[in-house]
Amino acid sequence: MIKQEHEKILKKVQKPARYTGGEYNEIIKDKSKTDVRFAFAFPDMYEIGMSNLGIKILSGVINNLDYAWCERVYAPAKDMAEQLTENNIDLYALESGDSLREFDFIGFTLQYELCYSNVLYMLNLAHIPLLASERGEDFPIIIAGGPCTYNPEPVANFFDLFVIGEGEDVIVELMDLYREHKKNKDFNKQKFLSECAKKIEGIYVPSLYDVEYKIDGKIKSFTPKDGNLPIVVTKRIIADFDSVYFPTNPVVPNIDIVHDRITLEVFRGCIRGCRFCQAGFVYRPTRERSAEKLNQIALESYKNTGYNEISLASLSISDYTELYGLTDKLTDWTDKCSVNLSLPSMRIDAFTQELLDKTSSVRQSTLTFAPEASSQRLRDIINKNLTEQDIEETIKIAFNSGRSSIKLYFMLGLPGETDEDIIEIANLAKKTVGLYYKRENKQRNKGLTVTISVASFVPKCHTPFCFERQNSYDELIRKQKLLKSEINSNKIKYNYHDAKISKLEAVFARGDRKLSNVLLEAVKLGACFDGWDELFDFELWQKAFENCGLKMEDYAERVYSYDDVLPWDFIDVGVSKEFFIEEHKKAKSGKVTNNCREQCMYCGASVFMSDKNNEGGERCCCPKI
């Protein structure tokens, strides 16, 4: 809703539609009949936040409660922030136009570590104190969820509570409990937070826990202040994925966004065990939607939005047990309606001509695959379970089908990496060029482009590589230059991530509560939109660390021992620390681990499934083909 005070500033900013609301399928409720108001905050631009599936799901869950109203707010661009400040206008929610200070809850989704500064940026624009300890009863309860909360400690001082894991059930329990407390005239925020931590599984309230450090900076102890609080916070999951809520009438943006299409969440979890991949472990166990249910969701979403593309979303779509049945059901009507299908997460060893033929959008865009490492030795270390023959066969299928654009993703700085491994990336790209000119179908002679996109390895919590260090900045730069020197073909395009950004990402991915002071200092110095290359200021962050007496290297390049207390040890994702230790040992010896469908390795994730125990003991939690 556009209020009068907003109109005058919207005329002075680029893309005012980011801040107006009024989109198709927007939910408007009567405030006088609403007991709980929730502002869902995405700490990045509208175009990125509107593409986020999590916000669409959880907003729908809350709005399905007759007593609650969930609205949206995104990080405003700098020009809008200047207008808000100059005119003394609080950052506001899109649906009502009300200041964020008028809400009961402000919920941030933390998708990426470099969005942390934007959380404080948005709170500042709403004139809400940044530190949880400085917010009294008159301010909203500030909460967070999302993948970054599997290590919430670097931002612990700013949030009243964290939701660990999947939020569809826990958010309803949280709203119900708050409504119950709010009915009392003597509502007390701290009493409410304490009861949340004790009664609702998956809730972490950082103010109720104490952290003690050793002389070397590592954690000595992490303890609850109250003996009735859980020592370990266990993540929440949705066990019955087929029946859980999914939005079929999402808000349709008024301007172009990053992923302007229907996103169909096919399944959660992953059967693979790539040792660098946090998502592959924290989202276990694997849970699928049936092909029939997915087709129903897709058709309803199409009728309610008019989108002409459907993206099948998962960590690895080729591992979906009903993939071919699903694509058959979808293409029965998508071809007639001119709706494209997109499979953005295909494994190289599962790519087939049949899938290429079934998905019209795949025939129109660049094919993207992720070998991650170029040599077999290094792929075994990271447990990629991918051979050079797998890579070559897939590329042949693509080229023989008339494709002329291939993108390959790799990582630099992986544990066990040598310069020979880096040179092999260039060799694989050259081999890919050679396969194009050996293709069977040479009638469609388009211009060939082989793109190699290279990220820097970032050790993440709750992975076998969480004990490893990140390469130093100088070492990452050296490796990037080495790879560039090996590329001598104009058919090969080389992209690489900014090593400075990767360095800060590693710091916050492995950080502890002391980093809250650094983040606060950086925001005071002007940090925001750190995930945007053109706005990222590494020198500013260096100054913030120096002012706080801390060093980036002590976080990004720290090697952890197996008996260290890790900043995230109090979070139980289902996969045990013992399993991560065993996988780390196997990585050092170059041994691979089978995927979960081939052999259950008893990682611990099946504890979340209701029928986990049988006569044979703990069962595998992954569906079988």
Side-chain angles (χ1 to χ4, degrees):
M1 179 183 296
I2 305 176
K3 294 189 174 183
Q4 187 173 0
E5 63 263 32
H6 301 158
E7 289 184 3
K8 61 181 180 180
I9 65 173
L10 290 174
K11 297 176 182 179
K12 301 178 181 180
V13 301
Q14 293 182 342
K15 297 186 179 181
R18 289 169 169 165
Y19 317 108
T20 60
E23 305 102 327
Y24 185 67
N25 287 336
E26 177 188 69
I27 300 294
I28 300 294
K29 292 192 176 185
D30 185 345
K31 286 190 290 186
S32 66
K33 299 178 181 178
T34 300
D35 295 333
V36 183
R37 298 190 66 190
F38 192 106
F40 215 131
F42 192 90
D44 212 325
M45 295 280 195
Y46 175 93
E47 292 91 329
I48 299 175
M50 277 291 287
S51 302
N52 181 262
L53 180 59
I55 285 186
K56 296 174 185 178
I57 292 173
L58 294 179
S59 295
V61 169
I62 297 172
N63 281 323
N64 278 345
L65 302 172
D66 57 7
Y67 64 80
W69 184 14
C70 182
E71 304 182 46
R72 298 162 296 131
V73 60
Y74 306 94
K78 287 289 190 72
D79 59 345
M80 181 61 170
E82 290 172 0
Q83 290 299 319
L84 290 170
T85 302
E86 289 175 10
N87 292 276
N88 198 29
I89 298 173
D90 288 349
L91 183 61
Y92 57 86
L94 297 189
E95 281 79 0
S96 65
D98 289 343
S99 162
L100 294 189
R101 289 193 292 172
E102 297 182 29
F103 286 77
D104 298 293
F105 289 90
I106 301 175
F108 287 89
T109 177
L110 304 180
Q111 299 287 319
Y112 179 39
E113 290 85 355
L114 268 70
C115 285
Y116 289 169
S117 59
N118 276 9
V119 172
L120 306 194
Y121 166 73
M122 294 173 74
L123 291 177
N124 268 330
L125 289 172
H127 298 102
I128 294 173
L130 303 184
L131 293 169
S133 60
E134 296 179 357
R135 292 192 293 267
E137 300 289 337
D138 295 335
F139 289 100
I141 295 171
I142 312 299
I143 74 174
C148 289
T149 62
Y150 288 108
N151 177 22
E153 287 303 276
V155 288
N157 291 346
F158 307 110
F159 290 96
D160 295 302
L161 67 81
F162 293 89
V163 175
I164 310 299
E166 297 166 0
E168 289 95 332
D169 288 341
V170 69
I171 199 69
V172 175
E173 295 169 19
L174 186 63
M175 297 297 100
D176 285 345
L177 184 60
Y178 179 78
R179 187 191 190 198
E180 181 183 326
H181 274 253
K182 193 178 179 183
K183 290 178 181 177
N184 298 326
K185 294 181 179 180
D186 58 343
F187 174 84
N188 179 276
K189 182 188 291 186
Q190 201 57 39
K191 183 178 179 181
F192 167 71
L193 293 174
S194 179
E195 194 166 341
C196 286
K198 294 173 183 177
K199 286 188 174 181
I200 304 177
E201 188 173 61
I203 295 292
Y204 167 51
V205 179
S207 63
L208 301 180
Y209 293 80
D210 286 325
V211 187
E212 188 177 356
Y213 298 92
K214 298 178 183 178
I215 296 176
D216 64 0
K218 293 181 180 180
I219 294 175
K220 180 179 180 180
S221 64
F222 183 92
T223 54
K225 296 179 179 179
D226 183 336
N228 294 319
L229 289 165
I231 297 174
V232 173
V233 179
T234 302
K235 76 173 183 181
R236 292 291 291 269
I237 74 158
I238 300 299
D240 185 0
F241 197 49
D242 218 25
S243 62
V244 70
Y245 169 82
F246 191 85
T248 56
N249 58 341
V251 177
V252 180
N254 290 331
I255 59 176
D256 289 338
I257 60 175
V258 174
H259 298 304
D260 210 3
R261 61 198 182 198
I262 296 168
T263 300
L264 198 60
E265 190 182 21
V266 176
F267 70 94
R268 290 180 188 170
C270 185
I271 66 169
R272 310 290 169 175
C274 300
R275 291 169 178 143
F276 57 84
C277 181
Q278 183 190 61
F281 291 105
V282 299
Y283 293 135
R284 290 186 180 190
T286 303
R287 293 141 293 145
E288 296 186 343
R289 281 193 173 95
S290 66
E292 182 177 351
K293 181 68 174 180
L294 287 165
N295 185 54
Q296 174 191 337
I297 290 172
L299 186 56
E300 290 179 9
S301 300
Y302 168 69
K303 291 178 180 178
N304 291 332
T305 64
Y307 277 123
N308 62 0
E309 182 177 353
I310 299 173
S311 177
L312 305 186
S314 68
L315 291 178
S316 176
I317 191 63
S318 51
D319 290 325
Y320 177 52
T321 56
E322 297 184 63
L323 181 58
Y324 288 95
L326 173 61
T327 52
D328 284 342
K329 289 179 183 294
L330 290 172
T331 52
D332 279 346
W333 61 271
T334 55
D335 288 346
K336 300 172 188 176
C337 298
S338 299
V339 175
N340 290 335
L341 296 184
S342 173
L343 282 71
S345 57
M346 284 294 300
R347 276 183 62 89
I348 290 180
D349 54 349
F351 187 78
T352 65
Q353 183 64 52
E354 184 178 358
L355 281 177
L356 191 62
D357 293 338
K358 282 187 175 185
T359 52
S360 56
S361 64
V362 170
R363 291 198 298 269
Q364 299 172 5
S365 59
T366 299
L367 285 173
T368 302
F369 301 104
E372 311 292 359
S374 57
S375 70
Q376 191 61 53
R377 183 191 64 83
L378 194 52
R379 285 195 295 270
D380 288 345
I381 288 176
I382 67 175
N383 204 45
K384 189 64 181 179
N385 280 317
L386 192 67
T387 67
E388 188 166 335
Q389 183 178 355
D390 293 330
I391 299 171
E392 289 188 18
E393 289 302 316
T394 293
I395 292 172
K396 287 178 182 178
I397 291 172
F399 287 154
N400 289 336
S401 300
R403 304 309 301 266
S404 60
S405 183
I406 297 284
K407 180 182 286 187
L408 301 173
Y409 277 106
F410 298 93
M411 278 190 285
L412 287 179
L414 286 164
E417 178 187 75
T418 66
D419 284 357
E420 287 72 21
D421 295 312
I422 297 169
I423 293 170
E424 277 301 306
I425 295 176
N427 291 338
L428 181 56
K430 295 172 187 176
K431 185 178 291 184
T432 301
V433 172
L435 290 172
Y436 177 77
Y437 293 107
K438 295 178 182 178
R439 69 194 188 283
E440 296 172 3
N441 180 8
K442 297 186 178 181
Q443 295 178 353
R444 300 173 65 184
N445 192 9
K446 298 180 180 179
L448 170 67
T449 302
V450 176
T451 302
I452 55 173
S453 184
V454 183
S456 298
F457 166 67
V458 175
K460 295 280 187 172
C461 64
H462 303 293
T463 68
F465 286 163
C466 70
F467 307 101
E468 294 283 347
R469 64 182 291 274
Q470 187 186 50
N471 283 178
S472 68
Y473 171 74
D474 290 341
E475 186 66 3
L476 289 173
I477 294 298
R478 185 191 71 80
K479 290 181 176 183
Q480 289 174 347
K481 290 180 178 179
L482 172 62
L483 178 54
K484 184 176 183 179
S485 69
E486 294 293 323
I487 297 172
N488 50 22
S489 169
N490 60 6
K491 305 294 183 184
I492 301 173
K493 185 179 179 181
Y494 172 39
N495 297 326
Y496 54 91
H497 292 190
D498 187 337
K500 293 178 180 177
I501 292 179
S502 298
K503 180 62 60 179
L504 191 62
E505 181 184 350
V507 167
F508 280 102
R510 312 180 82 212
D512 54 34
R513 200 175 290 194
K514 288 180 289 185
L515 288 181
S516 289
N517 293 331
V518 178
L519 181 56
L520 190 63
E521 179 68 14
V523 170
K524 289 179 180 178
L525 293 173
C528 66
F529 291 105
D530 293 300
W532 295 65
D533 289 356
E534 63 272 27
L535 298 176
F536 178 66
D537 187 342
F538 190 64
E539 292 183 359
L540 179 154
W541 278 98
Q542 287 178 313
K543 185 176 181 180
F545 271 88
E546 183 180 346
N547 290 351
C548 294
L550 297 173
K551 296 180 179 179
M552 291 189 191
E553 295 77 14
D554 289 342
Y555 290 95
E557 298 172 34
R558 173 176 288 165
V559 176
Y560 282 116
S561 65
Y562 296 148
D563 58 356
D564 279 332
V565 178
L566 306 179
W568 52 87
D569 270 352
F570 70 98
I571 302 289
D572 179 11
V573 299
V575 183
S576 68
K577 187 174 182 179
E578 290 72 24
F579 179 80
F580 290 136
I581 290 172
E582 288 304 311
E583 282 295 294
H584 186 244
K585 291 177 179 177
K586 290 172 75 173
K588 286 186 173 182
S589 59
K591 294 180 180 179
V592 298
T593 298
N594 291 335
N595 74 61
C596 297
R597 291 198 184 124
E598 294 175 341
Q599 180 184 5
C600 181
M601 303 306 294
Y602 302 104
C603 68
S606 66
V607 72
F608 290 105
M609 308 304 283
S610 58
D611 57 339
K612 63 181 180 296
N613 294 317
N614 55 31
E615 294 180 1
E618 187 182 32
R619 70 174 182 86
C620 181
C621 54
C622 295
K624 308 297 183 187
I625 294 178

